Amino acid sequence: MANKRKEILVIALVVVGILLRGALLGWNSYEHGDVAQYAAAAESFAEQGNFLIDANVEKDYFYSLKELGGQHLEHNPLWPFLGGIFVFIFGMSGYHALQILSFISGVALLPLIFILGKKLGGYGTGLLALIFGTFSYALIDFSANGSFYIFQAVLYVLFLLGMLDMEKPARAAFVWAIMGVALLLNQQNIVLLAAYVLYTFIYFRGNSKRAMIYVLCCIGIVAVIQLPWWIRNYVLFESPLHSIDITYVWDKIGVPRTVTDHVISYAVTPQTYLTLAKTSLSSWLPHNLYFMHRKFFVVAPLVYIFALFSLAEAFFGEKLREKKQLLIPLLLLFAFYVGISTMWPIAKFRYLIPLLPLIFVLGSWYMTAHMRNRTGRTVSIAMSIVTVFVFSVLTFFGTPSHTYYYDGVITTDNFGKRGELDFINGYETIVGDREQ
């Protein structure tokens, strides 16, 4: 009977999470940032079989638009590819297709959070992490706005679950496939490969030959999964790893632009790379690190403090050998992801989404498994739940759009400084015009 009640409670929380995420599908009527580009690419893929996102060939760009017939998707293709399938089958818009994908991902993330927490600290850890995941407004909103970051969170949890008993061939192949898929979603996910390689040598310490075999097999599988995209890039741009992302960096450090026949180029010299290294380490990294940690205190109030406590416990706590198979790769992934996000010119609010489930699991693990004082544990758990819920309610009522891709509800995103606040002002104008 007790087990039955536990199952019902988990199912009830998942159902509540589904309802909350479904409600936000209606509020998310605006295509934020890169979501608009992915939506256009999804429609192009469904209708033309390519990722052409803009047929205008007269504007200045980073390659010849006339030669290629317009602007093509330069970002990784998995998200618009999946969206294009929905567009083709159901005849919906690209944005609605991406919204459905983010909704499916957000719903799938809930039981995965519970499973990860349960694997780490038992039913109590899994249940508490699920409560946080259910009522976190950031996870709710990103389950309906069409961006891929909630799916990225799903892949991270699947990766960590796959790392359990990673020496088993089937489990190893699963992890390798997850990494390959993740790299087709977002370049940031190279952190999965970094975490895997480092942990493999930790896991097989004393047997470097076996570790190397696993690493080489991993790289081989990931490369095979990437191959179609690399071929496409080579055919279009004469470079398998083509990306225009670096142009954003050159602009940020003030590299001079030149435009010839509508093609933008930069005067990059050896000194440019020295400037880049200096700026990244002395300016971007500390400012972005502060930004990300400050934001975690907003989207995971109190829980984040306990998640930080778990870091020391993971490495120095006694009798944790059986847990380190999950903890060490989790912490490595966390560290590499924060590192790659803070070395970029501007760490955006949406970068936090893939890490939120991990914070909820780590914080829940510390409170449920390592706080010995019963009263202190109860108070900590209760206050953590209340603060997450209260901040979610404040977020909902803090803006007429009820959405915050740029986090302009309680604090503002570094991206453009005002970010979502500008959208909110525009949203109020639109609503006012409609009412008139």
Side-chain angles (χ1 to χ4, degrees):
M1 183 64 70
N3 289 335
K4 189 72 172 178
R5 285 197 293 268
K6 289 181 178 180
E7 292 176 2
I8 291 174
L9 183 55
V10 170
I11 293 172
L13 284 168
V14 172
V15 170
V16 170
I18 292 172
L19 294 175
L20 291 173
R21 285 151 178 77
L24 262 293
L25 285 172
W27 290 113
N28 274 283
S29 58
Y30 181 76
E31 299 178 33
H32 294 278
D34 289 342
V35 177
Q37 186 178 112
Y38 284 119
E43 293 175 2
S44 179
F45 178 72
E47 297 165 4
Q48 305 175 51
N50 59 32
F51 291 114
L52 181 68
I53 59 176
D54 188 352
N56 178 12
V57 298
E58 297 300 326
K59 65 180 181 180
D60 297 340
Y61 205 61
F62 306 103
Y63 50 82
S64 175
L65 298 178
K66 287 184 178 180
E67 291 181 5
L68 296 183
Q71 180 184 347
H72 294 259
L73 179 72
E74 296 98 11
H75 298 309
N76 302 40
L78 181 61
W79 198 238
F81 170 77
L82 295 174
I85 294 175
F86 278 81
V87 173
F88 180 79
I89 295 175
F90 300 105
M92 59 180 60
S93 71
Y95 179 54
H96 287 152
L98 298 184
Q99 278 190 292
I100 291 175
L101 285 173
S102 62
F103 176 73
I104 293 171
S105 301
V107 171
L109 184 62
L110 293 176
L112 288 174
I113 290 175
F114 172 74
I115 294 169
L116 183 64
K118 187 177 180 182
K119 291 285 187 182
L120 185 59
Y123 175 82
T125 300
L127 180 66
L128 184 57
L130 176 58
I131 292 172
F132 294 139
T134 298
F135 295 105
S136 164
Y137 204 82
L139 294 186
I140 294 171
D141 190 30
F142 274 75
S143 298
N145 64 15
S147 68
F148 62 72
Y149 292 93
I150 198 74
F151 182 52
Q152 189 170 338
V154 169
L155 293 176
Y156 282 12
V157 176
L158 288 174
F159 169 82
L160 292 170
L161 290 173
M163 293 296 279
L164 292 168
D165 301 319
M166 60 171 286
E167 77 280 359
K168 296 179 179 178
R171 190 65 64 90
F174 173 78
V175 173
W176 301 338
I178 289 294
M179 283 187 278
V181 169
L183 277 172
L184 284 178
L185 180 73
N186 186 5
Q187 292 169 332
Q188 279 183 329
N189 293 331
I190 192 69
V191 298
L192 293 177
L193 186 58
Y196 179 83
V197 170
L198 183 53
Y199 182 65
T200 298
F201 282 98
I202 295 173
Y203 187 87
F204 293 115
R205 59 189 178 278
N207 191 348
S208 57
K209 181 179 178 180
R210 190 176 184 191
M212 184 60 69
I213 290 173
Y214 272 71
V215 168
L216 291 176
C217 288
C218 168
I219 294 173
I221 294 298
V222 170
V224 168
I225 295 174
Q226 304 304 304
L227 190 58
W229 184 244
W230 289 346
I231 293 173
R232 175 264 189 187
N233 285 340
Y234 184 79
V235 171
L236 272 180
F237 307 108
E238 298 182 350
S239 172
L241 302 179
H242 170 81
S243 173
I244 65 166
D245 290 349
I246 193 64
T247 62
Y248 183 69
V249 174
W250 300 147
D251 283 332
K252 284 297 179 181
I253 62 175
V255 179
R257 276 188 176 195
T258 58
V259 180
T260 305
D261 294 330
H262 293 294
V263 177
I264 302 169
S265 60
Y266 294 84
V268 177
T269 66
Q271 181 62 39
T272 304
Y273 292 98
L274 292 176
T275 303
L276 173 60
K278 179 181 177 181
T279 305
S280 180
L281 294 173
S282 65
S283 180
W284 299 342
L285 189 149
H287 285 89
N288 287 333
L289 196 61
Y290 168 69
F291 168 80
M292 291 189 72
H293 286 288
R294 176 167 58 90
K295 288 299 182 181
F296 282 134
F297 283 112
V298 173
V299 295
L302 290 185
V303 187
Y304 185 52
I305 296 175
F306 295 113
L308 293 176
F309 287 157
S310 71
L311 301 180
E313 190 68 36
F315 285 104
F316 303 111
E318 298 178 357
K319 301 179 180 179
L320 283 175
R321 181 172 298 178
E322 73 281 1
K323 298 298 183 185
K324 290 189 176 181
Q325 225 188 112
L326 190 55
L327 275 172
I328 293 180
L330 191 158
L331 298 175
L332 287 175
L333 172 57
F334 194 102
F336 281 126
Y337 185 87
V338 170
I340 199 171
S341 299
T342 53
M343 295 290 282
W344 192 245
I346 296 178
K348 304 175 180 68
F349 173 74
R350 50 194 180 273
Y351 290 176
L352 308 184
I353 302 304
L355 292 187
L356 261 185
L358 309 189
I359 289 174
F360 290 148
V361 169
L362 283 174
S364 299
W365 174 66
Y366 188 86
M367 284 184 279
T368 57
H370 292 281
M371 297 188 71
R372 299 183 182 278
N373 184 281
R374 184 174 181 180
T375 301
R377 181 172 64 248
T378 302
V379 171
S380 297
I381 291 173
M383 290 183 64
S384 297
I385 293 173
V386 168
T387 51
V388 167
F389 184 80
V390 168
F391 273 57
S392 291
V393 172
L394 290 174
T395 298
F396 180 82
F397 288 106
T399 170
S401 69
H402 304 300
T403 63
Y404 68 147
Y405 184 81
Y406 293 116
D407 186 34
V409 180
I410 299 176
T411 53
T412 55
D413 192 326
N414 278 340
F415 187 63
K417 301 299 182 184
R418 293 180 58 82
E420 184 74 6
L421 296 180
D422 292 333
F423 163 62
I424 291 169
N425 293 332
Y427 181 90
E428 290 176 325
T429 302
I430 292 171
V431 171
D433 291 342
R434 286 176 180 172
E435 290 177 350
Q436 293 175 3

